[in-house]
Amino acid sequence: MGARTSGIRQIGGAPGPRGGWAARKPLVLAAAVVVLALLPLYASDYGISVGILIFLYMSLGQMWNLLAGYSGLVSLGQQAFVGIGGYTLAMVTQAYHMSIALSFFIAAGVSLAFALVISFPIFKMSGVYFTVGTWIVSEALLVFFRNWAFVKYDAGYNITVAYRISMPALYLGALAVGLGATALVYFILRSRMGLALMAIRDDESAAEARGVRLYRTKLACFLISSVYTGITGVVLYLNITYVKPGAAFGIDWTVCMVFIVVIGGLGTIEGPVIGAVIYVILRQYTYNFPGISMIMLGVAAVAIIMLAPEGIMGAVHGRFGFRLFSTERRPPPGTGPRQYPEDAADV
Amino acid sequence: MAWNRKKKLLAVALCALIAFALSACGGGGGGEGESSGEAGEPPAASSDKDEILIGFAAPMTGPLSIFMGPTPWVEELCLDAINNVNGGIYIDEAGGKLPIRVVYADTESDSNKAMEVATKLVTENKVDILVGAWTPVGTNPISAVGERYEVPVFTFGAPEESWLEGGPYNWATGMQFNYDMLCTDVINMWDKLDTNKKVGFVLDTDVDGTTGREVYTRLLAGTDYEIFDPGAYTIGTTDFTGLISKLKDADCDIITADMITPDFTVFWKQCHQYGYVPKVCTINKGMHYEADVENLDSDGGNGITFSSLWDKNFPFSSPLLGLSCNEIADKWESENEGFYPYSIGYDVAMYDILYDALSRAQTLDKAAVRQAILDTDIDTVFGNLTFNDNQCARVPAIGTQWLPGEKFAFEKKVVASETFPAIPANDPIIIPATTQK
């Protein structure tokens, strides 16, 4: 992947040539967040509803990108955690009449426990076997839910408490989840763990030889992604208000995550942001053509991939050579590792 | 310098992309080329009040699309009666009669998509009434959208019990069948036949299957019937041999199934292969259409019984069309190929009710439209319909059987109507000679 960059080592905030931008970046980003947070004041109901979808899909895309784009863990089973989030919300609020807030904690806990349990078998696999393994696990979970009396089999739940949530409130929740996912990925990638993840993605053996603890690093990444996807599932179903196993645990969720990341740019933080905007807008547009909307979406995806095989952000980086959220490392003067020709070329 | 500038530009571009996308979505009213009752007509903003906009979130693709067979034939028929014959509906704000236009959105037979497209219909197209149909996958999330945005919603084609799970409703109304009555029809049919009264369940884990299991168990308790439940199957199963073996071993003369068409086709074929063909096969949901019965191997569909949700023998008429049920079915058969689909009845009744409610409301004020729908008291193709305290209008169901016909390979015969005696059951129920264990 051209979008990939090999980090050299963590740095301690050494001033670089981009000092001016670095100083103003927090201010610019804070202003952007304020503009987006105030959107309910100037956008229509439709704009708010689309904004909710964009930020929720952005969160899903960021979490899938964290796995596939930075860790090399291509999972086709992340829909399991969306379903866990949705069903946790339904059971907590509808079956036990407890607060929505509690759903977030329970969804996070259940997602963490489930991810831990399945990590034992699926982390014994790698590459395509890992991918197929995650898919099988999520399909098994779907079948389990359809046959589980505790959740009323396949009957589904209406999440009636969500009817009364105002759209601005839901939008702010989605905004927090979407931007939170972006910030989380950024800070992970700027940490030692992020450096280890990218080293694993680029060359597992070399990373291990340099002292990266493969299993522990991958597991931590998988757990973070799973828990956050579960939390996103709660907000998603606050918006959808009706949960059924087939829809909650459907592969459609992961298909859209892949779409968003591939279109936006695998292995880039901006990629899922751009991908989510394009995916949601495209889907809203194609809804105007009932019966052929999926065909149109597929054709658009193929066209974008043909024009920009590395995703839009990959193409932008290739053409102009810049990124908004860079995860590249530069060694402090005089403290970097010995530069081998192949390393130097990559830096 | 160049680097900094590019970064700032990208930051601005990213924010602008999101803001533009959201504000572009905030234009409201209209869209690009929605399918409508009048194909090809460019959409106009409903805020202009030059038309009454009905948003129909329907399963146009996916497994539930079988219910959409009468579309767009039935829409053209009803909209012609409203817009051309009657000249539209008088609306005070407009100071005259306005035509109705229907905007469709495809739910893709998926509850997540149903919610998304219904939200789009309400917030972007700004429909005056939102319609959702066919099974809880369509009716429940669409009702929720109506409750959230406080828009009148009309839903139909789901079990009343399942639809009410999403209640209590304020803005959503439903024209639904009742599972208790549906199962009572089925038991009334069995009562007329000579069997060993052993009933085998072939019920799925979906909402219809779980509701059916509960209702049958309750209704058959204390009767001569003996229930055998081999356990629920999952929709999409392709190997029923284990389940068939259990039913055969239990010596069930009767099976009652609630399967979608592809599942039943596989199940019924494997029953024949396994040498187990019960005397009575009751299959709801999957065998409502003659073409599906005809497509079963040889005469495998002969004698299949089911609870029909509308029939041309209903002795009622559509006030909007001025046609009896029999005339509507004949019109379909003369203008289309094949036996009439029962879902025509639901579509026509929907237009009967909405036309009546809007004519009484004479306004597009949402609260007034909602109240007018709830005040409905009208004779339709289902007979007289009114909404109860749960905002549900209950439609009849009757016991019917597929038997070889004169005009089509199979024709539907009304064999039990005790739950709605106004509907005549003129034909005797039989056990075909080919249907023996």
Side-chain angles (χ1 to χ4, degrees):
Chain A
M1 290 286 170
R4 292 176 178 179
T5 51
S6 295
I8 294 179
R9 59 175 295 190
Q10 174 71 33
I11 59 172
R18 292 167 281 172
W21 163 250
R24 273 177 290 187
K25 190 159 81 172
L27 208 62
V28 173
L29 291 176
V33 171
V34 170
V35 168
L36 290 173
L38 294 177
L39 186 124
L41 297 178
Y42 58 86
S44 68
D45 282 350
Y46 182 53
I48 296 170
S49 71
V50 171
I52 291 169
L53 294 176
I54 286 175
F55 288 113
L56 291 177
Y57 282 113
M58 185 190 299
S59 174
L60 293 180
Q62 290 289 11
M63 288 304 119
W64 193 80
N65 194 30
L66 180 63
L67 287 177
Y70 291 104
S71 320
L73 297 170
V74 182
S75 167
L76 286 183
Q78 293 310 98
Q79 66 271 27
F81 302 99
V82 176
I84 286 173
Y87 260 94
T88 302
L89 173 69
M91 298 308 292
V92 167
T93 60
Q94 298 304 119
Y96 292 99
H97 307 290
M98 293 188 283
S99 76
I100 293 172
L102 194 61
S103 307
F104 288 95
F105 296 103
I106 297 179
V110 174
S111 297
L112 180 67
F114 184 71
L116 263 176
V117 168
I118 64 170
S119 68
F120 292 112
I122 65 168
F123 271 70
K124 293 190 187 304
M125 309 170 197
S126 63
V128 70
Y129 299 101
F130 175 86
T131 303
V132 174
T134 52
W135 187 8
I136 289 171
V137 165
S138 64
E139 284 296 304
L141 195 63
L142 166 61
V143 173
F144 177 75
F145 266 72
R146 279 181 162 160
N147 290 280
W148 194 14
F150 179 63
V151 297
K152 295 197 307 182
Y153 302 103
D154 207 5
Y157 280 93
N158 274 82
I159 302 161
T160 55
V161 294
Y163 296 174
R164 310 290 170 228
I165 298 177
S166 71
M167 295 311 284
L170 201 52
Y171 170 81
L172 291 177
L175 179 77
V177 167
L179 296 187
T182 306
L184 179 65
V185 171
Y186 178 73
F187 288 116
I188 286 174
L189 295 177
R190 296 297 299 176
S191 69
R192 286 181 66 85
M193 183 185 161
L195 189 63
L197 285 172
M198 286 184 280
I200 292 170
R201 178 201 60 192
D202 290 344
D203 191 328
E204 253 188 47
S205 304
E208 194 168 24
R210 292 285 184 103
V212 173
R213 299 169 78 168
L214 294 184
Y215 181 82
R216 201 175 72 170
T217 310
K218 282 184 178 181
L219 179 63
C221 178
F222 184 65
L223 295 182
I224 291 168
S225 173
S226 302
V227 168
Y228 206 93
T229 303
I231 290 170
T232 307
V234 174
V235 188
L236 271 166
Y237 276 95
L238 280 174
N239 186 40
I240 294 169
T241 70
Y242 181 66
V243 62
K244 260 176 82 77
F249 295 96
I251 187 83
D252 281 6
W253 289 115
T254 296
V255 170
C256 92
M257 293 179 214
V258 174
F259 183 102
I260 286 166
V261 173
V262 169
I263 293 294
L266 186 74
T268 65
I269 294 180
E270 302 90 340
V273 177
I274 294 170
V277 173
I278 290 173
Y279 176 74
V280 171
I281 299 296
L282 203 55
R283 209 163 77 167
Q284 291 291 313
Y285 178 74
T286 58
Y287 281 153
N288 291 323
F289 303 91
I292 57 168
S293 63
M294 293 302 283
I295 296 172
M296 293 178 68
L297 198 63
V299 169
V302 171
I304 294 173
I305 290 168
M306 287 181 74
L307 289 171
E310 293 172 356
I312 291 170
M313 202 53 219
V316 168
H317 179 62
R319 175 73 179 79
F320 302 106
F322 62 82
R323 287 190 178 130
L324 181 61
F325 301 106
S326 176
T327 54
E328 291 177 6
R329 267 81 169 175
R330 289 167 191 273
T335 61
R338 182 176 173 186
Q339 298 288 296
Y340 292 95
E342 57 272 29
D343 286 334
D346 207 10
V347 178
Chain B
M1 165 62 191
W3 174 257
N4 281 350
R5 205 169 148 202
K6 283 175 186 173
K7 276 211 158 183
K8 283 177 203 167
L9 275 174
L10 186 59
V12 171
L14 263 179
C15 288
L17 181 61
I18 295 177
F20 171 74
L22 296 177
S23 56
C25 294
E32 294 84 1
E34 294 96 327
S35 290
S36 70
E38 292 160 287
E41 181 193 344
S46 62
S47 56
D48 297 338
K49 299 299 179 198
D50 57 358
E51 63 184 0
I52 301 165
L53 208 53
I54 294 178
F56 193 168
M60 303 179 78
T61 55
L64 301 180
S65 60
I66 54 165
F67 294 114
M68 296 304 292
T71 299
W73 180 86
V74 73
E75 274 72 21
E76 286 168 4
L77 189 68
C78 294
L79 292 182
D80 179 61
I82 295 171
N83 297 339
N84 299 331
V85 177
N86 292 313
I89 298 171
Y90 180 80
I91 299 295
D92 269 342
E93 303 93 289
K97 287 190 170 184
L98 296 183
I100 284 185
R101 188 164 64 87
V102 179
V103 183
Y104 296 106
D106 184 9
T107 67
E108 298 170 19
S109 304
D110 179 276
S111 54
N112 296 343
K113 301 269 174 62
M115 176 270 164
E116 278 189 28
V117 297
T119 300
K120 185 174 188 290
L121 287 172
V122 170
T123 58
E124 191 197 21
N125 299 95
K126 301 197 183 302
V127 297
D128 298 302
I129 300 174
L130 180 63
V131 175
W134 303 118
T135 82
V137 166
T139 59
N140 289 31
I142 290 163
S143 297
V145 169
E147 294 297 318
R148 172 173 282 166
Y149 289 100
E150 302 189 338
V151 173
V153 177
F154 186 85
T155 62
F156 62 88
E160 179 185 347
E161 298 88 337
S162 307
W163 180 69
L164 290 176
E165 289 267 317
Y169 295 112
N170 187 29
W171 291 89
T173 55
M175 181 177 68
Q176 319 291 17
F177 57 88
N178 178 275
Y179 228 100
D180 263 39
M181 288 189 177
L182 193 137
C183 294
T184 304
D185 284 328
V186 168
I187 295 167
N188 288 338
M189 285 192 285
W190 297 342
D191 286 342
K192 297 173 195 282
L193 294 168
D194 180 26
T195 64
N196 65 6
K197 295 191 180 296
K198 286 187 178 175
V199 180
F201 283 174
V202 186
L203 302 173
D204 60 38
T205 57
D206 201 351
V207 60
D208 292 336
T210 49
T211 309
R213 174 173 285 99
E214 184 272 317
V215 174
Y216 277 123
T217 304
R218 176 161 44 79
L219 294 179
L220 293 177
T223 68
D224 294 340
Y225 289 97
E226 181 187 336
I227 292 172
F228 174 70
D229 187 357
Y233 75 94
T234 304
I235 289 177
T237 298
T238 53
D239 182 3
F240 290 96
T241 51
L243 192 145
I244 293 168
S245 171
K246 290 178 185 173
L247 292 167
K248 187 175 184 180
D249 291 346
D251 193 29
C252 295
D253 267 1
I254 302 169
I255 60 167
T256 182
D258 199 334
M259 309 173 99
I260 58 173
T261 310
D263 286 358
F264 181 73
T265 304
V266 173
F267 169 78
W268 199 231
K269 185 174 184 177
Q270 290 177 357
C271 277
H272 282 75
Q273 288 170 340
Y274 209 77
Y276 171 69
V277 184
K279 284 184 176 178
V280 184
C281 173
T282 299
I283 160 73
N284 281 319
K285 193 156 71 177
M287 285 291 125
H288 278 286
Y289 297 96
E290 192 269 345
D292 294 328
V293 181
E294 200 178 337
N295 286 340
L296 292 173
D297 284 350
S298 62
D299 64 346
N302 187 11
I304 281 176
T305 56
F306 66 108
S307 185
S308 182
L309 303 174
W310 186 73
D311 191 272
K312 70 175 185 179
N313 290 307
F314 279 19
F316 311 118
S317 297
S318 161
L320 173 64
L321 301 177
L323 298 173
S324 69
C325 293
N326 204 26
E327 288 169 334
I328 293 170
D330 285 347
K331 189 172 176 61
W332 164 272
E333 289 175 358
S334 66
E335 295 178 13
N336 299 276
E337 286 184 8
F339 195 80
Y340 69 94
Y342 84 96
S343 40
I344 290 179
Y346 278 83
D347 292 327
V348 171
M350 173 189 79
Y351 286 107
D352 279 341
I353 289 174
L354 295 185
Y355 177 69
D356 171 66
L358 287 165
S359 298
R360 280 185 287 104
Q362 297 192 348
T363 175
L364 294 180
D365 174 73
K366 290 182 171 34
V369 171
R370 166 195 164 275
Q371 192 57 49
I373 294 173
L374 289 175
D375 291 341
T376 294
D377 185 353
I378 185 178
D379 291 329
T380 71
V381 289
F382 284 114
N384 186 264
L385 288 182
T386 57
F387 288 87
N388 61 21
D389 291 343
N390 291 324
Q391 310 201 162
C392 183
R394 188 178 292 174
V395 297
I398 50 168
T400 51
Q401 185 173 35
W402 287 112
L403 291 171
E406 294 171 0
K407 194 172 173 185
F408 299 97
F410 290 96
E411 290 178 5
K412 189 170 60 168
K413 307 293 183 186
V414 181
V415 296
S417 62
E418 285 82 351
T419 52
F420 288 92
I423 301 167
N426 295 327
D427 296 291
I429 187 169
I430 61 170
I431 298 175
T434 52
T435 310
Q436 300 293 331
K437 281 189 295 178

